[in-house]
Amino acid sequence: MPDPNHLAHRIVVPTPYRVGPANVYAFDAGPVTLFDCGPNTPAAENALRLGLAERGLAFEQVARVVISHGHPDHYGLAPTIQRASGATVYVGEHDLPKINERASRFATGALLMEAGVPVDLLVEMDQERKRTRKLHPKIEDAVPLAGKERFAFDRFTLEVLHLPGHTSGHVCLLEPDRRVLFAGDTLLAHITPNPLLEPTPDDPTIRRKSLMEYMRTLDVLESLELTLVWTGHGEPIRDPAATIRQIKEHHVLRKEEVASRLDDRPVSPFEVARAMFRDLEGFDNFLAVSEVVAHLDLLEEEGRVERLVEGGVTRYRRVSD
Protein backbone atom coordinates (compact mmCIF):
# COMPACT_ATOMS: atom_id res chain seq x y z
CA MET A 1 0.00 0.00 0.00
CA PRO A 2 1.48 3.42 -0.94
CA ASP A 3 2.78 5.65 1.80
CA PRO A 4 0.18 8.44 2.15
CA ASN A 5 2.93 10.90 3.12
CA HIS A 6 5.06 10.20 0.05
CA LEU A 7 5.04 12.97 -2.55
CA ALA A 8 8.30 12.77 -4.49
CA HIS A 9 11.71 11.15 -4.76
CA ARG A 10 14.69 13.50 -4.33
CA ILE A 11 17.52 12.83 -6.77
CA VAL A 12 20.78 14.71 -6.22
CA VAL A 13 22.74 15.59 -9.38
CA PRO A 14 26.16 17.28 -9.69
CA THR A 15 26.57 20.76 -11.16
CA PRO A 16 29.66 22.62 -12.39
CA TYR A 17 28.71 25.61 -10.25
CA ARG A 18 30.00 26.80 -6.89
CA VAL A 19 26.56 26.26 -5.34
CA GLY A 20 27.18 22.51 -5.58
CA PRO A 21 24.77 19.67 -6.37
CA ALA A 22 21.16 20.37 -7.33
CA ASN A 23 18.01 18.52 -6.32
CA VAL A 24 15.59 17.02 -8.83
CA TYR A 25 12.18 15.87 -7.57
CA ALA A 26 10.49 12.97 -9.33
CA PHE A 27 6.75 12.56 -8.78
CA ASP A 28 5.73 9.03 -9.72
CA ALA A 29 2.08 9.18 -8.62
CA GLY A 30 1.08 9.62 -12.26
CA PRO A 31 1.64 11.28 -14.60
CA VAL A 32 5.40 11.08 -14.04
CA THR A 33 6.61 14.64 -13.41
CA LEU A 34 9.96 16.20 -12.62
CA PHE A 35 10.38 19.44 -10.70
CA ASP A 36 13.67 20.74 -12.10
CA CYS A 37 16.03 18.44 -13.95
CA GLY A 38 19.64 19.51 -13.41
CA PRO A 39 22.28 21.00 -15.74
CA ASN A 40 23.10 19.93 -19.27
CA THR A 41 26.21 17.91 -18.44
CA PRO A 42 27.00 14.19 -18.93
CA ALA A 43 27.57 13.78 -15.18
CA ALA A 44 24.18 15.25 -14.29
CA GLU A 45 22.41 13.23 -16.98
CA ASN A 46 24.01 10.01 -15.73
CA ALA A 47 23.08 10.79 -12.11
CA LEU A 48 19.49 11.60 -13.07
CA ARG A 49 19.10 8.46 -15.18
CA LEU A 50 20.48 6.30 -12.37
CA GLY A 51 18.32 8.05 -9.77
CA LEU A 52 15.20 7.49 -11.83
CA ALA A 53 16.13 3.85 -12.56
CA GLU A 54 16.40 3.17 -8.82
CA ARG A 55 12.71 4.13 -8.64
CA GLY A 56 11.79 2.05 -11.70
CA LEU A 57 11.55 5.12 -13.94
CA ALA A 58 13.23 6.31 -17.15
CA PHE A 59 13.42 9.50 -19.20
CA GLU A 60 10.97 7.93 -21.67
CA GLN A 61 8.23 7.86 -19.00
CA VAL A 62 8.43 11.52 -18.02
CA ALA A 63 5.27 13.39 -19.02
CA ARG A 64 5.95 16.79 -17.46
CA VAL A 65 8.99 18.83 -16.45
CA VAL A 66 8.23 21.84 -14.25
CA ILE A 67 11.15 24.28 -14.05
CA SER A 68 11.41 26.36 -10.89
CA HIS A 69 13.36 29.13 -12.64
CA GLY A 70 15.41 29.78 -15.72
CA HIS A 71 18.92 29.07 -14.45
CA PRO A 72 20.87 26.32 -16.21
CA ASP A 73 21.49 24.18 -13.13
CA HIS A 74 17.71 23.74 -12.91
CA TYR A 75 16.55 23.39 -16.53
CA GLY A 76 19.56 22.25 -18.58
CA LEU A 77 18.48 18.62 -19.17
CA ALA A 78 14.91 19.51 -20.18
CA PRO A 79 15.56 19.28 -23.97
CA THR A 80 17.20 15.85 -23.53
CA ILE A 81 14.17 14.59 -21.60
CA GLN A 82 11.83 16.13 -24.19
CA ARG A 83 13.58 14.26 -26.99
CA ALA A 84 13.27 10.99 -25.09
CA SER A 85 9.62 11.24 -24.05
CA GLY A 86 7.92 14.25 -25.64
CA ALA A 87 7.41 15.68 -22.14
CA THR A 88 5.76 19.07 -21.76
CA VAL A 89 8.02 21.67 -20.15
CA TYR A 90 6.55 24.35 -17.88
CA VAL A 91 8.26 27.51 -16.60
CA GLY A 92 7.23 30.76 -14.94
CA GLU A 93 6.10 33.19 -17.63
CA HIS A 94 8.64 35.87 -16.67
CA ASP A 95 11.50 33.35 -16.93
CA LEU A 96 10.46 32.13 -20.38
CA PRO A 97 12.95 34.48 -22.11
CA LYS A 98 15.78 32.94 -20.08
CA ILE A 99 15.25 29.48 -21.55
CA ASN A 100 14.34 30.45 -25.12
CA GLU A 101 17.32 32.84 -25.46
CA ARG A 102 15.14 35.91 -25.84
CA ALA A 103 16.48 37.44 -22.65
CA SER A 104 18.66 40.38 -23.59
CA ARG A 105 22.27 40.05 -22.45
CA PHE A 106 22.70 43.62 -23.67
CA ALA A 107 20.05 44.84 -21.22
CA THR A 108 21.84 43.18 -18.30
CA GLY A 109 25.15 44.52 -19.57
CA ALA A 110 23.71 48.03 -19.64
CA LEU A 111 22.56 47.65 -16.02
CA LEU A 112 26.05 46.51 -15.00
CA MET A 113 27.59 49.52 -16.73
CA GLU A 114 25.16 51.76 -14.83
CA ALA A 115 26.43 50.08 -11.65
CA GLY A 116 29.99 51.10 -12.55
CA VAL A 117 31.33 47.79 -13.90
CA PRO A 118 34.17 48.51 -16.37
CA VAL A 119 33.69 47.53 -20.01
CA ASP A 120 36.73 45.23 -20.07
CA LEU A 121 35.27 43.23 -17.19
CA LEU A 122 31.92 42.98 -18.99
CA VAL A 123 33.73 41.59 -22.04
CA GLU A 124 35.53 39.04 -19.86
CA MET A 125 32.21 37.94 -18.29
CA ASP A 126 30.58 37.62 -21.73
CA GLN A 127 33.45 35.47 -22.98
CA GLU A 128 33.06 33.25 -19.92
CA ARG A 129 29.37 32.78 -20.78
CA LYS A 130 30.18 31.91 -24.40
CA ARG A 131 32.61 29.20 -23.23
CA THR A 132 29.77 27.56 -21.30
CA ARG A 133 27.11 28.06 -23.97
CA LYS A 134 26.04 24.41 -24.09
CA LEU A 135 24.99 24.72 -20.44
CA HIS A 136 22.26 27.12 -21.63
CA PRO A 137 20.16 25.02 -24.06
CA LYS A 138 17.27 26.64 -25.88
CA ILE A 139 13.67 25.53 -25.20
CA GLU A 140 11.18 27.00 -27.66
CA ASP A 141 7.92 25.33 -26.73
CA ALA A 142 7.73 25.65 -22.92
CA VAL A 143 4.32 26.37 -21.41
CA PRO A 144 4.31 29.55 -19.29
CA LEU A 145 3.01 29.51 -15.72
CA ALA A 146 1.52 32.63 -14.12
CA GLY A 147 0.83 31.09 -10.71
CA LYS A 148 -2.33 29.51 -9.28
CA GLU A 149 -2.27 26.65 -11.80
CA ARG A 150 -2.71 23.12 -10.44
CA PHE A 151 -0.94 19.90 -11.33
CA ALA A 152 -3.11 16.88 -10.54
CA PHE A 153 -1.65 13.50 -9.55
CA ASP A 154 -3.34 10.23 -8.59
CA ARG A 155 -3.30 10.95 -4.84
CA PHE A 156 -2.73 14.71 -4.47
CA THR A 157 -2.62 18.06 -6.22
CA LEU A 158 0.17 20.63 -6.33
CA GLU A 159 -0.50 24.36 -6.61
CA VAL A 160 1.81 26.66 -8.55
CA LEU A 161 2.97 29.71 -6.60
CA HIS A 162 4.66 32.61 -8.38
CA LEU A 163 7.27 33.76 -5.85
CA PRO A 164 9.67 36.27 -7.43
CA GLY A 165 12.94 37.46 -5.99
CA HIS A 166 15.79 35.16 -7.04
CA THR A 167 14.35 35.57 -10.55
CA SER A 168 11.27 37.45 -11.67
CA GLY A 169 9.50 34.28 -12.84
CA HIS A 170 10.44 31.86 -10.05
CA VAL A 171 7.68 29.33 -9.28
CA CYS A 172 7.27 26.85 -6.43
CA LEU A 173 4.91 23.90 -5.95
CA LEU A 174 2.76 23.65 -2.82
CA GLU A 175 0.92 20.60 -1.50
CA PRO A 176 -1.76 22.56 0.37
CA ASP A 177 -3.12 19.88 2.71
CA ARG A 178 0.25 19.05 4.25
CA ARG A 179 1.73 22.56 3.71
CA VAL A 180 4.75 21.06 1.96
CA LEU A 181 6.63 23.30 -0.48
CA PHE A 182 8.96 22.40 -3.33
CA ALA A 183 10.86 25.65 -3.31
CA GLY A 184 13.56 25.64 -5.98
CA ASP A 185 15.97 28.40 -4.95
CA THR A 186 13.40 30.51 -3.11
CA LEU A 187 14.35 28.98 0.26
CA LEU A 188 17.68 27.28 0.91
CA ALA A 189 18.90 25.87 4.20
CA HIS A 190 22.43 27.24 4.44
CA ILE A 191 22.71 30.10 1.94
CA THR A 192 20.48 32.96 0.84
CA PRO A 193 19.33 33.15 -2.80
CA ASN A 194 21.14 35.78 -4.87
CA PRO A 195 18.98 38.89 -5.52
CA LEU A 196 20.13 39.21 -9.12
CA LEU A 197 20.60 42.38 -11.15
CA GLU A 198 18.14 42.03 -14.02
CA PRO A 199 15.77 44.12 -16.13
CA THR A 200 12.04 43.97 -15.45
CA PRO A 201 10.09 41.46 -17.57
CA ASP A 202 8.11 44.21 -19.31
CA ASP A 203 10.82 46.81 -19.99
CA PRO A 204 14.49 45.89 -20.50
CA THR A 205 15.54 49.49 -19.77
CA ILE A 206 14.20 49.34 -16.20
CA ARG A 207 15.95 47.38 -13.45
CA ARG A 208 13.76 45.20 -11.27
CA LYS A 209 14.21 45.57 -7.52
CA SER A 210 14.87 41.92 -6.87
CA LEU A 211 15.48 42.00 -3.13
CA MET A 212 12.39 44.07 -2.47
CA GLU A 213 10.43 41.44 -4.43
CA TYR A 214 12.08 38.69 -2.43
CA MET A 215 11.31 40.28 0.94
CA ARG A 216 7.63 40.35 -0.06
CA THR A 217 7.93 36.70 -1.09
CA LEU A 218 9.30 35.85 2.37
CA ASP A 219 6.20 37.46 3.89
CA VAL A 220 4.01 35.26 1.68
CA LEU A 221 5.94 32.14 2.69
CA GLU A 222 5.64 33.08 6.34
CA SER A 223 1.86 33.33 5.98
CA LEU A 224 1.64 29.81 4.53
CA GLU A 225 2.71 28.19 7.84
CA LEU A 226 4.76 25.60 5.99
CA THR A 227 5.64 22.30 7.66
CA LEU A 228 8.41 21.16 5.30
CA VAL A 229 10.38 22.68 2.42
CA TRP A 230 12.19 20.65 -0.23
CA THR A 231 14.94 22.87 -1.59
CA GLY A 232 16.69 23.26 -4.95
CA HIS A 233 20.08 22.66 -3.33
CA GLY A 234 21.00 20.91 -0.11
CA GLU A 235 18.90 19.29 2.57
CA PRO A 236 15.19 19.90 3.25
CA ILE A 237 14.13 22.60 5.69
CA ARG A 238 12.17 21.14 8.59
CA ASP A 239 11.60 24.41 10.44
CA PRO A 240 10.66 26.80 7.62
CA ALA A 241 9.56 29.61 9.97
CA ALA A 242 13.00 29.71 11.60
CA THR A 243 14.76 29.72 8.22
CA ILE A 244 12.60 32.59 6.98
CA ARG A 245 13.44 34.59 10.11
CA GLN A 246 17.16 33.88 9.65
CA ILE A 247 17.08 35.03 6.02
CA LYS A 248 15.32 38.25 6.97
CA GLU A 249 17.91 38.86 9.70
CA HIS A 250 20.72 38.18 7.21
CA HIS A 251 19.44 40.86 4.86
CA VAL A 252 19.16 43.39 7.68
CA LEU A 253 22.80 42.74 8.61
CA ARG A 254 23.96 42.87 4.98
CA LYS A 255 22.04 46.12 4.46
CA GLU A 256 23.88 47.66 7.42
CA GLU A 257 27.19 46.39 6.08
CA VAL A 258 26.53 48.14 2.77
CA ALA A 259 25.47 51.30 4.61
CA SER A 260 28.72 51.27 6.58
CA ARG A 261 30.68 51.52 3.30
CA LEU A 262 29.01 54.81 2.34
CA ASP A 263 29.83 58.38 3.27
CA ASP A 264 29.30 61.80 1.71
CA ARG A 265 31.30 60.90 -1.39
CA PRO A 266 29.17 59.29 -4.15
CA VAL A 267 30.37 55.77 -5.00
CA SER A 268 29.19 53.20 -7.51
CA PRO A 269 27.81 49.79 -6.52
CA PHE A 270 30.84 48.23 -8.22
CA GLU A 271 33.18 50.19 -5.94
CA VAL A 272 31.23 49.07 -2.88
CA ALA A 273 31.26 45.46 -4.09
CA ARG A 274 35.03 45.53 -4.57
CA ALA A 275 35.47 46.86 -1.05
CA MET A 276 33.17 44.24 0.49
CA PHE A 277 34.19 41.15 -1.47
CA ARG A 278 37.88 40.57 -2.10
CA ASP A 279 39.48 38.76 -5.06
CA LEU A 280 36.42 38.76 -7.29
CA GLU A 281 36.80 36.98 -10.63
CA GLY A 282 34.56 36.65 -13.66
CA PHE A 283 30.90 35.91 -12.91
CA ASP A 284 31.44 36.53 -9.19
CA ASN A 285 31.56 40.24 -10.01
CA PHE A 286 27.98 40.03 -11.27
CA LEU A 287 26.84 38.30 -8.07
CA ALA A 288 28.65 40.79 -5.85
CA VAL A 289 27.32 43.86 -7.66
CA SER A 290 23.81 42.34 -7.61
CA GLU A 291 24.09 41.89 -3.85
CA VAL A 292 25.15 45.50 -3.29
CA VAL A 293 22.54 47.05 -5.60
CA ALA A 294 19.78 45.00 -3.97
CA HIS A 295 20.63 46.27 -0.49
CA LEU A 296 21.07 49.82 -1.73
CA ASP A 297 17.44 49.57 -2.89
CA LEU A 298 16.42 48.85 0.72
CA LEU A 299 18.48 51.74 2.02
CA GLU A 300 17.02 54.09 -0.58
CA GLU A 301 13.51 53.01 0.35
CA GLU A 302 14.32 53.92 3.96
CA GLY A 303 15.59 57.34 2.85
CA ARG A 304 19.12 56.61 4.08
CA VAL A 305 20.96 57.01 0.76
CA GLU A 306 20.77 59.41 -2.14
CA ARG A 307 21.08 58.12 -5.69
CA LEU A 308 22.92 60.22 -8.28
CA VAL A 309 23.56 59.60 -11.97
CA GLU A 310 26.86 60.92 -13.31
CA GLY A 311 28.14 60.11 -16.78
CA GLY A 312 25.75 57.18 -17.16
CA VAL A 313 26.87 55.61 -13.86
CA THR A 314 24.59 55.45 -10.84
CA ARG A 315 26.30 56.38 -7.59
CA TYR A 316 25.10 56.51 -4.01
CA ARG A 317 25.99 58.55 -0.95
CA ARG A 318 24.84 58.51 2.61
CA VAL A 319 22.11 60.92 3.62
CA SER A 320 23.24 62.96 6.62
CA ASP A 321 21.13 62.60 9.76
Side-chain angles (χ1 to χ4, degrees):
M1 189 171 180
D3 178 0
N5 294 313
H6 168 74
L7 293 174
H9 302 284
R10 179 169 72 112
I11 301 171
V12 181
V13 302
T15 81
Y17 301 106
R18 185 174 297 179
V19 71
N23 294 324
V24 176
Y25 295 95
F27 299 86
D28 61 357
V32 176
T33 301
L34 301 184
F35 184 56
D36 288 340
C37 55
N40 185 33
T41 66
E45 180 178 347
N46 185 54
L48 183 55
R49 287 186 182 275
L50 288 173
L52 289 171
E54 289 175 2
R55 282 88 181 168
L57 300 172
F59 277 16
E60 289 75 14
Q61 295 171 267
V62 177
R64 303 182 295 206
V65 179
V66 182
I67 296 167
S68 64
H69 62 293
H71 288 164
D73 51 333
H74 294 268
Y75 82 84
L77 284 174
T80 301
I81 296 166
Q82 272 189 311
R83 288 192 294 271
S85 68
T88 302
V89 176
Y90 299 84
V91 68
E93 60 182 355
H94 294 321
D95 275 14
L96 198 57
K98 288 183 172 62
I99 68 169
N100 62 21
E101 293 190 346
R102 290 184 174 85
S104 173
R105 288 184 289 115
F106 299 105
T108 301
L111 294 176
L112 286 166
M113 289 182 68
E114 288 175 14
V117 178
V119 173
D120 58 344
L121 183 53
L122 290 176
V123 171
E124 178 187 329
M125 291 163 63
D126 190 53
Q127 290 173 342
E128 182 180 337
R129 177 183 169 83
K130 287 176 180 176
R131 287 193 296 270
T132 60
R133 188 173 182 83
K134 68 179 182 179
L135 294 175
H136 303 257
K138 188 175 182 178
I139 305 173
E140 285 282 10
D141 55 353
V143 177
L145 298 170
K148 300 185 179 179
E149 296 89 351
R150 292 171 175 263
F151 288 106
F153 296 86
D154 291 344
R155 301 187 303 275
F156 56 88
T157 297
L158 297 176
E159 297 179 1
V160 178
L161 303 181
H162 172 221
L163 294 171
H166 183 54
T167 69
S168 57
H170 199 299
V171 295
C172 302
L173 299 179
L174 174 70
E175 201 292 312
D177 294 332
R178 282 163 278 197
R179 318 306 293 172
V180 173
L181 186 74
F182 294 86
D185 282 0
T186 292
L187 280 182
L188 299 171
H190 303 299
I191 57 174
T192 56
N194 296 111
L196 298 178
L197 185 75
E198 293 180 332
T200 61
D202 299 325
D203 188 341
T205 67
I206 298 175
R207 177 176 61 81
R208 74 183 186 94
K209 296 188 175 182
S210 56
L211 184 52
M212 294 174 71
E213 290 180 3
Y214 183 62
M215 298 304 280
R216 290 191 290 270
T217 281
L218 290 177
D219 289 339
V220 172
L221 291 172
E222 211 163 30
S223 72
L224 293 175
E225 298 181 348
L226 300 168
T227 60
L228 177 65
V229 173
W230 294 99
T231 60
H233 301 275
E235 294 302 308
I237 297 170
R238 303 190 184 278
D239 188 351
T243 298
I244 291 167
R245 287 194 302 272
Q246 289 165 6
I247 292 174
K248 287 184 173 182
E249 290 166 3
H250 161 81
H251 285 298
V252 170
L253 293 173
R254 181 54 57 86
K255 177 184 66 177
E256 296 306 321
E257 184 180 2
V258 171
S260 72
R261 303 281 178 170
L262 303 175
D263 54 29
D264 296 335
R265 180 180 63 89
V267 292
S268 71
F270 178 69
E271 291 174 287
V272 177
R274 285 285 183 156
M276 286 178 58
F277 306 103
R278 302 294 183 181
D279 302 320
L280 293 173
E281 295 182 359
F283 186 71
D284 288 342
N285 286 279
F286 171 69
L287 299 177
V289 170
S290 293
E291 184 88 1
V292 170
V293 170
H295 291 88
L296 285 167
D297 283 342
L298 298 183
L299 290 166
E300 185 179 18
E301 184 184 39
E302 294 173 1
R304 297 172 59 189
V305 300
E306 181 182 9
R307 179 163 47 94
L308 306 162
V309 179
E310 302 172 351
V313 175
T314 301
R315 293 181 168 86
Y316 296 80
R317 66 184 176 194
R318 187 176 58 202
V319 173
S320 300
D321 294 334

